[in-house]
């Protein structure tokens, strides 16, 4: 069993192969020099570590050894020879597989502009986090291009460290993709209250680095000068290996509900693939979500061993900014009606329903864990294609657990 990509999904898959009782060779090929690590803290708690960002490992060397997982670090796969079931590595050697998992993740989308210098950074890896952190200190001015999750989490971390922050978003509001306007508004207000300047509806015309700072000229003509520009305009799936070896692509590597690619010996999972979601009539989605990457890793491993199990999990995502946690279960854009449930301390949940009453998503925001329990129960209702009573959903005195039982 060979896995390309020693990130969240690939590493989880390696352990899942062992948990499923597989006792043959498991090789995890990873381009990065570090042991497998968690990415979500890089924009959040790691970024504000008093000293410097630290790595939160998924598995240390001892645990990998204990499970007989061979990690080839600092090594990339450069091609797949499907006819001979073998991959070529950057060290020049070839590695044969019976089953192959591609878990190559995604990489930040680049701004289509020339001349972006060392003061224009993006965040995907621990090394990126170290480079960004070197610029975040009291009084430094940080421009964040893109009002998506990573940009906004970095804006919050930069403020926490005393930097001045301007966020520039081309869309009319922040968190345009996948987050309801009412929730995005709460996040916007939290940034306002912390002194972040958010500019919406203005694109980037050019960025110049004069050696001391960056000057960002917006489409409106306004110029934002900063010590660092962080580019957070989304991510693209890493598909080069699949592309050159002729695997089917469709917004990432196209896999079926069992995470199998167009080659029955090759699976793909995590951020790099798109797959059909049965609960939404097989709508094809590509998720960039920590929990989904883990679930995919486990499912791919089981199916590499012949389990033939279909993906059944409900998508789930969270983001932390200041003291607020936002959570989304399901796909809110599938909903046609919204029901709001107000909880304590300003927290609230939006339930997204089809016209026929079927619950398809729930999104919530509030301090700390305020929405966690209800979102968890909503996720179970979504998974059951439940049609809960709208009045009961809206009433905080109705326990969602009782709706689940019903
Ligand atoms: C800063 C940040 C914050 C995030 N915060 C959240 C959050 O709050 N909530 C949430 O749900 N999700 C969050 N995510 C998303 C989540 O981390 C990803 O969805 C998850 O890491 C995807 O796992 P993956 O294994 O598919 O990809 P990755 O974790 O990116 O792993 C892919 C690995 O494959 C390696 N690789 C690529 N090509 C090759 C090759 N040819 N050969 C060998 N190795 C290769 C890469 O170097 C990488 O190490 C965040 C992501 C980032 C970057």
């Amino acid at each position: 069993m060979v896995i390309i990509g020693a990130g969240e999904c690939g590493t989880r898959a390696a352990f899942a192969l062992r948990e499923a009782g597989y006792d043959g060779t498991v090789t995890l090929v990873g381009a990065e020099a570090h042991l497998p690590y968690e990415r979500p803290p890089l924009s959040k708690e790691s970024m504000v570590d008093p000293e410097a960002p630290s790595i939160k490992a998924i598995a240390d060397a001892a645990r990998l050894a204990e499970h007989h997982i061979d990690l080839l670090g600092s090594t990339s796969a450069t091609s797949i020879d499907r006819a001979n079931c073998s991959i070529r590595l950057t060290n020049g050697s070839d590695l044969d597989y019976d089953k192959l998992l591609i878990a190559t993740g995604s990489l930040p989308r680049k701004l289509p502009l020339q001349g972006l210098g060392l003061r224009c950074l993006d965040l995907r890896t621990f090394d990126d986090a170290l480079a960004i952190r070197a610029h975040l200190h009291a009084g430094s001015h940080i421009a964040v291009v893109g009002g998506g999750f990573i940009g906004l989490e970095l804006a919050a971390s930069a403020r926490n460290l005393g930097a001045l922050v301007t966020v520039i978003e081309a869309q009319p509001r922040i968190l345009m993709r996948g987050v309801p306007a009412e929730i995005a508004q709460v996040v916007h207000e939290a940034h306002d209250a912390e002194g972040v300047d958010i500019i919406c509806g203005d694109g980037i015309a050019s960025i110049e680095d004069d050696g001391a700072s960056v000057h960002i000229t917006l489409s409106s003509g306004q110029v934002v000068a900063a010590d660092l520009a962080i580019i957070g305009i989304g991510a693209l799936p890493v598909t080069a290996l699949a592309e050159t070896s002729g695997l089917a692509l469709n917004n990432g590597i196209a896999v079926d509900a069992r995470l199998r690619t167009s080659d029955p010996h090759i699976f793909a999972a995590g951020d790099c693939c798109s797959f059909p979601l049965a609960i939404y009539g097989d709508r094809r989605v590509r998720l960039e979500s920590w929990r989904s990457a883990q679930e995919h890793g486990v499912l791919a491993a089981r199916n590499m061993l012949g389990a033939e199990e279909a993906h059944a999990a409900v998508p789930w995502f969270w983001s932390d900014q200041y003291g607020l946690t936002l959570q989304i279960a399901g796909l809110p854009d599938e909903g046609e009606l919204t029901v709001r449930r107000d909880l304590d301390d300003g927290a609230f949940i939006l339930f997204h329903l089809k016209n026929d009453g079927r619950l398809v998503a729930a999104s919530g925001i509030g301090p700390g864990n305020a929405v966690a329990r209800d979102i968890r129960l909503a996720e179970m209702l979504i998974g059951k294609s439940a049609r809960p009573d709208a009045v009961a959903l809206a009433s905080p005195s109705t326990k969602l657990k009782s709706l689940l039982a019903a």
Side-chain angles (χ1 to χ4, degrees), residues 5 7-9 31-32 39 44 76-77 105 124 271 289-290 317-318:
E8 194 70 56
C9 177
E32 294 183 66
R39 287 180 212 282
K44 312 177 183 70
S76 289
R124 183 74 197 175
D271 280 18
S289 140
W290 174 83
F317 183 88
W318 96 98

Side-chain angles (χ1 to χ4, degrees), residues 4-10 29-32 39-40 42-44 75-77 103-106 123-124 150 153 238 241 269-271 288-290 293 317-319:
I4 305 175
E8 194 70 56
C9 177
V29 182
E32 294 183 66
R39 287 180 212 282
L42 298 180
S43 46
K44 312 177 183 70
T75 306
S76 289
T104 44
S106 56
L123 176 60
R124 183 74 197 175
I150 291 184
E153 287 178 0
V238 177
L241 285 172
D271 280 18
E288 290 165 15
S289 140
W290 174 83
F317 183 88
W318 96 98
S319 172

Side-chain angles (χ1 to χ4, degrees), residues 17-41:
L17 284 167
R18 292 295 182 227
E19 282 151 21
Y22 178 69
D23 62 3
T25 310
V26 176
T27 309
L28 189 52
V29 182
E32 294 183 66
H34 309 287
L35 284 166
Y37 61 90
E38 305 284 6
R39 287 180 212 282

Side-chain angles (χ1 to χ4, degrees), residues 206-221:
S206 66
I207 300 187
E208 279 166 35
D209 185 340
D210 69 5
S213 54
V214 277
H215 300 268
I216 305 173
T217 305
L218 308 187
S219 308
S220 62

Side-chain angles (χ1 to χ4, degrees), residues 1-3 17 22 25-28 97-100 304-305:
M1 299 286 161
V2 173
I3 300 168
L17 284 167
Y22 178 69
T25 310
V26 176
T27 309
L28 189 52
Y97 61 82
D98 290 319
K99 290 285 186 291
L100 175 68
M304 287 163 85
L305 298 176

Side-chain angles (χ1 to χ4, degrees), residues 64-361:
L64 289 164
E66 188 192 324
H67 288 78
H68 304 285
I69 295 166
D70 302 328
L71 172 66
L72 303 181
S74 304
T75 306
S76 289
T78 54
S79 62
I80 304 172
D81 177 351
R82 287 169 51 199
N84 292 304
C85 288
S86 138
I87 62 170
R88 172 69 47 92
L89 304 177
T90 36
N91 62 17
S93 65
D94 292 335
L95 192 60
D96 295 342
Y97 61 82
D98 290 319
K99 290 285 186 291
L100 175 68
L101 172 62
I102 306 177
T104 44
S106 56
L107 282 175
R109 187 191 292 272
K110 301 289 175 193
L111 267 180
L113 294 173
Q114 299 297 316
L116 304 178
L118 293 172
R119 282 179 192 76
C120 282
L121 302 177
D122 49 32
L123 176 60
R124 183 74 197 175
T125 66
F126 177 67
D127 296 337
D128 296 337
L130 289 178
I132 288 175
R133 176 56 194 275
H135 295 268
L136 306 190
H137 48 78
S140 64
H141 186 181
I142 309 300
V144 176
V145 177
F149 286 113
I150 291 184
L152 292 170
E153 287 178 0
L154 281 170
S157 294
R159 281 303 294 140
N160 187 309
L161 294 164
L164 305 168
V165 182
T166 304
V167 174
I168 304 155
E169 168 56 58
Q171 298 289 329
R173 67 162 170 91
I174 59 167
L175 297 174
M176 197 73 181
R177 200 165 54 103
V179 180
E182 258 174 281
I183 292 197
Q185 183 60 29
V186 175
V187 177
H188 194 126
E189 283 164 12
H191 282 277
D192 273 350
E194 296 289 337
V196 173
D197 184 17
I198 300 185
I199 302 168
C200 287
D202 211 345
I204 309 292
S206 66
I207 300 187
E208 279 166 35
D209 185 340
D210 69 5
S213 54
V214 277
H215 300 268
I216 305 173
T217 305
L218 308 187
S219 308
S220 62
Q222 183 182 347
V223 178
V224 175
D227 300 297
L228 175 72
I230 300 175
I231 315 298
I233 55 169
L236 294 173
V238 177
T239 57
L241 285 172
E243 218 170 322
T244 52
S245 58
L247 295 174
L249 302 178
N250 182 352
N251 180 26
I253 305 171
V255 294
D256 64 15
R258 289 161 179 74
L259 305 182
R260 201 184 338 241
T261 67
S262 49
D263 179 327
H265 300 290
I266 306 180
F267 293 73
D271 280 18
C272 69
C273 78
S274 73
F275 64 103
L277 261 177
I279 46 166
Y280 303 114
D282 285 340
R283 171 175 165 186
R284 184 164 282 277
V285 294
R286 190 176 73 76
L287 301 177
E288 290 165 15
S289 140
W290 174 83
R291 199 174 84 183
S292 178
Q294 293 192 344
E295 288 162 352
H296 270 199
V298 174
L299 182 64
R302 294 178 61 77
N303 286 336
M304 287 163 85
L305 298 176
E308 296 291 335
E309 287 169 15
H311 182 278
V314 174
W316 178 84
F317 183 88
W318 96 98
S319 172
D320 297 325
Q321 291 166 48
Y322 309 108
L324 290 173
T325 295
L326 173 165
Q327 291 196 22
I328 299 178
L331 303 177
D333 67 357
E334 285 279 328
E336 290 154 342
L337 308 165
T338 302
V339 172
R340 177 172 167 139
R341 178 184 181 94
D342 284 298
L343 306 172
D344 293 339
D345 302 323
F348 67 92
I349 293 189
L350 302 176
F351 295 102
H352 309 275
L353 303 134
K354 285 279 189 207
N355 282 329
D356 66 3
R358 183 162 67 92
L359 183 66
V360 287

